[in-house]
């Protein structure tokens, strides 16, 4: 095909002329030029020869019996379809109207009689070049069409893989509203959400440089890391660090991911936000106050791990407060004149909205009004999270089959973290991971995480750091509590927290014993209201002791030893109840 | 000519000036502007006085230049940004990587 235009193979030429002598002259002439010749003495025969032999070029007398050249030309052109078959009329006509009719019937040119050998040869060569060019173009078009079909097919398959990895997690939870639309098969935007085993949620929104496969390739490991780590109980900081490290390693220098991570805790009523390169997020309080959450970090995948900052902004919230994040595709939505919606559009829309309308609807209708006719293909992502307890009822996606005893059943392990590692590193994902090896416990990951987390936080904050939980009664104290926590963590020399886990089988399930010891001074557990009673003291809205109460409700027994710095809990599970609703703990 | 380069008076700083849109279409020209391994060059100035628009692939190209110029030890200044361009650089927190003035 490459040299098609320069091809010099003999042509197959069909000639049709009712004059025997003319036909003979022409035939001899063409054969002498090296071509193969088919001949017919009328239009009807010419058409049927054309159908059988598919010649490359046709020379047609205009006036013939049975079927004239005009009609034959029409039929031949229609038979040729997409193939370019040059058709030259042989005519002694010279009247302009008659010649024009020849061309209208599908002719490409005419040759006057009597024949001139040089002109015939030149015209045949010229039309052959055109024919070959046409052939080359259609071959290339077919090739492109085929390649494109292949590519689309491959992308469809890749998209299915991508969707399996980068599924949308718990985005369908009742307190999340979002809009995410792909520009091509793969979008540069990603939006993931996962419930945390301890309650609360983790949301990640990302915008990769570029679109299509390169962006999707970056999005896959991010999805894997996000869902993998979130379900094991890692916090937002750890997940972000891991994502950044991975992207830094795998992406070329000029590719990165603008992103935001939101860690919402509905029980504590706080959100933590990290914004690296996305437009301002907004916290819209139920009181209608708004607070911007600007980008304070470089996008993900640029900085080396030791330079990366996963410092979150911590915000106290109230029930009904809403958090909104968007990618810059939202700001870049343009009207017909090319003006962009921009930060001003967002600010105006928020300023003119009142509390009766959900900010998600406010934003979507504002951008629709602005662009006039926003096509679904436009590449923008918007997500709104409402601070609502409802969310803690949505269970973690459970991908394990409730198998019988496949897994460790009788085991014991001890894990101690010491000194500066306290507070810098959370042992919970590791401990949870060990427990999750037991199939019967896997379905209880939420409860187990809560047990471990309460034990660890008690041991660290009250045992080692001796922080009084009464501080958390007031919003100011809440802030003071966390400041002081940070300060005291700087001085934990000689301290430790030790977990001892012991699992054994029982006839209809298993028993997990968890002992948590710390190096603190302990407390007077004999007279502590959280230990002695099974309910909050009447009439007072106590914050302290909530953790203890939770431990007691979730487990068979909670016992204190030594000076109160040695806690032992017993947790039983049963085959029948292995699928128990994790929501139980939240009630 | 959307990208022009010159040396500053000391001859040791390469000034790269970008006109119009700084986006993916500028990719090759931008790389050609600095990738000639001139040993005399110690620092770079990216002059954006005539740059009307900058997108995320341009941010990527700036990162490539930074890598080329020695990564963390690179000396690169970005100058004369208009408000829109400045805003994009600041949302992405590129002032942590470049001297933007």
């Amino acid at each position: 095909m490459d040299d098609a235009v320069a091809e010099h193979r003999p042509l197959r030429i069909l000639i049709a002329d009712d004059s025997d002598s003319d036909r003979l002259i022409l035939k001899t002439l063409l054969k002498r030029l090296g071509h193969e010749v088919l001949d017919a003495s009328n239009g009807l025969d010419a058409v049927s020869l054309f159908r059988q032999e598919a010649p490359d070029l046709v020379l047609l007398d205009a006036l013939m019996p049975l079927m004239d050249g005009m009609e034959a030309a029409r039929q031949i052109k229609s038979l040729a379809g997409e193939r370019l078959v040059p058709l030259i009329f042989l005519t002694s006509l010279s009247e302009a109207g008659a010649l024009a009719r020849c061309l209208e019937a599908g002719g490409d040119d005419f040759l006057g009689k009597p024949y001139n050998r040089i002109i015939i040869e030149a015209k045949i060569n010229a039309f052959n070049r055109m024919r070959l060019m046409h052939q080359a173009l259609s071959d290339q078009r077919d090739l492109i069409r085929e390649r494109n079909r292949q590519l689309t097919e491959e992308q469809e398959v890749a998209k299915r893989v991508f969707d399996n990895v980068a599924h949308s997690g718990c985005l369908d939870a009742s307190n999340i509203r979002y809009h995410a639309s792909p520009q091509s098969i793969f979008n540069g935007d990603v939006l993931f959400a996962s419930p945390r085993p301890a309650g609360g949620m983790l949301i990640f929104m990302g915008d990769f440089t570029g679109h299509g496969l390169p962006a999707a390739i970056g999005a896959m490991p991010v999805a894997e890391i996000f869902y993998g780590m979130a379900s094991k109980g890692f916090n937002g900081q750890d997940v972000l660090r891991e994502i950044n490290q991975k992207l830094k390693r795998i992406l070329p220098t000029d590719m990165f991911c603008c992103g935001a991570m939101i860690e919402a805790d509905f029980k504590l009523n706080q959100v933590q936000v990290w914004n690296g390169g996305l437009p301002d997020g907004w916290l819209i309080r139920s009181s209608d106050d708004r607070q911007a959450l600007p980008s304070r970090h470089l996008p993900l995948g640029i900085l080396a791990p030791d330079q990366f900052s996963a410092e979150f902004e911590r915000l106290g919230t109230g029930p009904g407060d809403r958090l909104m994040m968007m990618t810059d595709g939202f700001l870049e939505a343009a009207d017909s004149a090319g003006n962009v919606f921009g930060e001003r559009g967002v600010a105006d829309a928020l300023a003119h909205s009142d509390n009766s309308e959900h900010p998600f609807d406010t934003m979507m209708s504002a951008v629709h009004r602005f662009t006039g006719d926003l096509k679904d293909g436009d590449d923008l992502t918007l997500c709104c999270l409402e601070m609502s307890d409802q969310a803690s009822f949505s269970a973690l996606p459970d991908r394990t089959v409730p198998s019988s005893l496949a897994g460790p059943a009788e085991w014991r392990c001890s894990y101690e973290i010491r000194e500066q590692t306290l507070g810098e590193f959370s042992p919970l994902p590791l401990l949870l991971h060990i427990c999750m090896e037991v199939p019967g416990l896997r379905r209880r990951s939420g409860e187990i995480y809560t047990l471990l987390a309460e034990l660890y936080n008690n041991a660290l904050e009250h045992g080692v750091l001796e922080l009084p939980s009464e501080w958390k009664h007031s919003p100011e104290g809440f802030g003071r509590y966390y400041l002081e926590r940070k300060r005291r963590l700087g001085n934990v020399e000689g301290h430790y927290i030790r977990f001892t886990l012991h699992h054994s089988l029982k006839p209809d399930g298993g028993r997990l014993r968890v002992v948590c010891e710390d190096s603190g001074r302990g407390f007077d557990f004999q007279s502590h209201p959280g230990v002695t009673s099974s309910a909050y003291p009447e009439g007072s809205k106590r914050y302290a002791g909530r953790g203890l109460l939770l431990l007691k409700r979730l487990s068979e027994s909670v016992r204190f030893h030594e000076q109160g710095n040695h806690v032992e809990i017993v947790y039983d599970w049963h085959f029948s109840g292995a699928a128990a609703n994790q929501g139980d703990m939240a009630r | 000519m959307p990208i022009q380069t010159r040396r500053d008076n000391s001859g040791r700083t390469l000034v790269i000036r970008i006109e119009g849109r700084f986006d993916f279409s500028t990719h090759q020209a931008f790389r050609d502007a600095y990738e000639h391994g001139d040993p005399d060059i110690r620092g770079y100035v990216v002059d954006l006085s005539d740059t009307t628009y900058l997108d995320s692939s341009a941010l990527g190209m700036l990162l490539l230049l930074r890598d080329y110029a020695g990564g963390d030890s690179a000396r690169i200044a970005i100058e004369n940004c208009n408000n829109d361009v400045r805003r994009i650089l600041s949302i992405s927190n590129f002032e942590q990587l470049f001297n933007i003035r």
Side-chain angles (χ1 to χ4, degrees):
Chain A
M1 191 194 74
D2 295 345
D3 297 319
V5 179
E7 187 184 25
H8 284 298
R9 73 171 171 88
L11 294 176
R12 233 159 150 32
I13 300 178
L14 168 65
I15 56 178
D17 197 325
D18 58 333
S19 147
D20 292 343
S21 58
D22 280 3
R23 205 166 65 240
L24 190 65
I25 297 169
L26 193 57
K27 192 171 172 177
T28 318
L29 202 153
L30 293 175
K31 279 192 163 164
R32 206 171 290 156
L33 288 173
H35 301 300
E36 184 189 338
V37 183
L38 314 160
D39 61 322
S41 57
N42 62 61
L44 213 55
D45 286 353
V47 172
S48 94
L49 256 179
F50 182 86
R51 191 181 273 130
Q52 286 161 29
E53 307 287 339
D56 304 313
L57 198 142
V58 180
L59 301 173
L60 214 53
D61 192 2
L63 305 172
M64 286 183 292
L66 291 174
M67 181 190 285
D68 71 1
M70 314 271 179
E71 180 54 28
R74 268 188 285 272
Q75 294 199 16
I76 283 171
K77 279 290 176 182
S78 130
L79 283 173
E82 278 198 350
R83 203 157 65 93
L84 177 69
V85 183
L87 196 149
I88 302 169
F89 276 99
L90 308 166
T91 176
S92 45
L93 298 172
S94 56
E95 190 252 317
L99 293 177
R101 276 199 303 283
C102 290
L103 298 189
E104 275 161 23
D108 296 292
D109 202 353
F110 21 71
L111 275 170
K113 290 185 184 178
Y115 304 123
N116 177 316
R117 194 185 63 85
I118 294 169
I119 296 289
I120 287 183
E121 186 176 1
K123 284 212 170 168
I124 286 177
N125 286 341
F127 276 106
N128 191 37
R129 280 199 300 276
M130 196 190 286
R131 186 187 69 88
L132 292 171
M133 189 109 66
H134 179 89
Q135 189 59 46
L137 276 177
S138 3
D139 286 352
Q140 282 170 10
R141 181 206 55 193
D142 292 348
L143 187 71
I144 290 167
R145 198 181 271 165
E146 174 57 20
R147 293 268 159 88
N148 189 51
R149 191 196 56 79
Q150 252 177 34
L151 200 67
T152 316
E153 211 166 77
E154 284 171 11
Q155 285 199 0
E156 295 287 354
V157 176
K159 169 96 168 97
R160 287 205 293 278
V161 177
F162 178 78
D163 286 346
N164 284 336
V165 176
H167 56 93
S168 50
C170 69
L171 280 176
D172 53 355
S174 60
N175 61 334
I176 296 180
R177 300 198 49 194
Y178 71 100
H179 175 89
S181 51
Q183 194 182 54
S184 60
I185 287 187
F186 301 120
N187 187 348
D189 290 356
V190 293
L191 181 60
F192 307 133
S194 173
R196 305 191 63 208
M201 261 185 202
L202 211 55
I203 297 181
F204 179 78
M205 181 184 279
D207 178 3
F208 281 86
T209 43
H211 293 282
L213 274 176
I217 284 168
M220 298 252 240
V222 172
E224 278 283 282
I225 292 168
F226 179 84
Y227 286 115
M229 291 182 76
S231 66
K232 290 190 183 79
F234 284 93
N235 63 26
Q237 291 204 331
D238 291 335
V239 181
L240 262 186
R241 282 202 194 93
E242 187 64 24
I243 290 176
N244 179 67
Q245 179 176 326
K246 184 76 153 196
L247 291 181
K248 168 76 180 157
R249 200 158 60 80
I250 64 173
L251 293 183
T253 306
D254 56 345
M255 254 191 86
F256 51 86
C257 176
C258 296
M261 182 80 84
I262 298 164
E263 187 178 321
D265 188 322
F266 306 113
K267 270 187 271 173
L268 277 179
N269 259 315
Q270 69 169 25
V271 282
Q272 302 196 62
V273 180
W274 183 99
N275 183 352
L278 283 188
D280 286 0
W282 291 91
L283 177 65
I284 300 142
R285 302 200 180 263
S286 48
S287 62
D288 239 6
D289 283 346
R290 288 188 305 277
Q291 184 175 351
L293 304 163
S295 155
R296 301 201 191 282
H297 303 270
L298 277 158
L300 295 155
I302 295 176
L303 291 175
D306 55 330
Q307 296 170 315
F308 181 73
S309 156
E311 196 76 32
F312 276 67
E313 272 178 79
R314 190 199 298 266
L315 301 147
T317 58
D321 288 0
R322 284 148 170 166
L323 195 84
M324 188 170 77
M325 298 297 307
M326 65 198 84
T327 61
D328 67 357
F330 198 87
L331 303 184
E332 283 167 9
D335 65 10
S336 52
N339 302 308
V340 295
F341 189 63
E343 286 170 319
R344 164 158 296 190
V346 173
D348 284 353
L350 286 177
H352 292 114
S353 77
D354 61 57
N355 223 344
S356 61
E357 196 182 24
H358 196 292
F360 178 84
D361 296 321
T362 308
M363 296 314 303
M364 287 310 287
S365 56
V367 80
H368 275 276
R369 258 199 318 278
F370 181 81
T371 57
D373 176 29
L374 188 69
K375 291 176 292 298
D376 267 343
D378 284 340
D379 179 13
L380 54 88
T381 304
L382 178 74
C383 180
C384 246
L385 170 75
E386 182 167 335
M387 293 303 287
S388 142
D389 232 356
Q390 289 303 310
S392 50
F393 293 104
S394 55
L396 276 173
D398 186 12
R399 302 200 184 144
T400 54
V401 189
S403 72
S404 55
L405 299 171
E410 298 284 346
W411 53 270
R412 182 189 184 90
C413 78
S414 187
Y415 187 71
E416 181 178 295
I417 61 171
R418 309 188 60 90
E419 316 278 337
Q420 281 309 313
T421 305
L422 288 162
E424 278 176 10
F425 171 83
S426 166
L428 300 175
L430 174 73
L431 296 173
L432 185 70
H433 190 79
I434 291 170
C435 295
M436 291 307 96
E437 293 294 306
V438 182
L441 285 176
R442 203 170 297 156
R443 292 183 156 255
R444 308 286 198 96
S445 67
E447 291 189 3
I448 305 291
Y449 185 91
T450 305
L451 290 172
L452 295 170
E454 290 298 337
L455 287 171
Y456 183 69
N457 290 335
N458 270 334
L460 180 66
E461 297 184 358
H462 305 317
V464 173
L465 302 180
E466 298 182 355
L467 288 161
S469 51
E470 288 78 14
W471 284 2
K472 288 199 274 189
H473 287 205
S474 66
E476 304 77 48
F478 190 79
R480 179 175 162 214
Y481 185 91
Y482 278 101
L483 270 177
E484 190 61 21
R485 184 183 189 275
K486 198 173 177 182
R487 195 187 66 77
R488 294 190 189 181
L489 271 173
N491 186 22
V492 286
E493 247 171 78
H495 279 291
Y496 65 83
I497 294 174
R498 183 189 308 134
F499 273 93
T500 306
L501 307 179
H502 180 186
H503 187 265
S504 55
L505 274 190
K506 300 209 308 174
D508 58 343
R511 166 167 285 188
L512 179 71
R513 283 175 196 276
V514 183
V515 175
C516 177
E517 297 159 86
D518 68 67
S519 53
R521 284 189 296 192
F523 70 108
D524 177 12
F525 59 87
Q526 309 285 0
S527 56
H528 191 284
V531 178
T532 51
S533 79
S534 60
Y536 296 122
E538 285 287 318
S540 75
K541 195 185 172 191
R542 285 186 56 87
Y543 283 78
R546 278 206 309 187
L548 261 179
L549 208 70
L550 207 56
L551 291 179
K552 286 170 91 171
R553 286 199 183 160
L554 289 177
S555 54
E556 307 310 308
S557 68
V558 181
R559 278 184 296 169
F560 288 87
H561 304 288
E562 315 285 331
Q563 307 89 38
N565 58 358
H566 181 143
V567 194
E568 177 178 3
I569 61 165
V570 174
Y571 179 89
D572 286 345
W573 61 270
H574 308 279
F575 286 125
S576 53
N581 186 354
Q582 295 185 33
D584 286 348
M585 56 172 257
R587 276 181 209 121
Chain B
M1 186 70 179
I3 294 191
Q4 288 167 355
T5 52
R6 62 176 172 87
R7 305 277 189 98
D8 74 346
N9 295 335
S10 73
R12 302 209 145 182
T13 300
L14 185 70
V15 182
I16 305 172
R17 187 182 168 105
I18 298 139
E19 282 173 29
R21 295 172 65 88
F22 188 9
D23 59 16
F24 196 75
S25 62
T26 332
H27 189 74
Q28 198 50 49
F30 185 73
R31 288 184 60 170
D32 291 345
Y34 62 82
E35 274 189 2
H36 32 65
D38 190 329
D40 292 343
I41 298 297
R42 296 278 181 276
Y44 298 83
V45 169
V46 181
D47 181 354
L48 301 181
S49 3
D50 295 316
T51 307
T52 51
Y53 170 83
L54 175 144
D55 72 356
S56 64
S57 59
L59 297 177
M61 288 182 246
L62 290 171
L63 292 176
L64 284 176
L65 169 62
R66 188 171 179 272
D67 255 20
Y68 180 85
D72 288 348
S73 62
R75 289 169 49 188
I76 304 172
I78 300 176
E79 305 191 321
N80 304 324
C81 322
N82 72 27
N83 284 341
D84 292 342
V85 168
R86 173 86 215 196
R87 180 79 190 126
I88 288 170
L89 288 169
S90 109
I91 284 182
S92 313
N93 287 290
F94 266 44
E95 66 268 19
Q96 293 175 25
L97 300 178
F98 298 93
N99 172 13
I100 300 178
R101 56 195 192 201

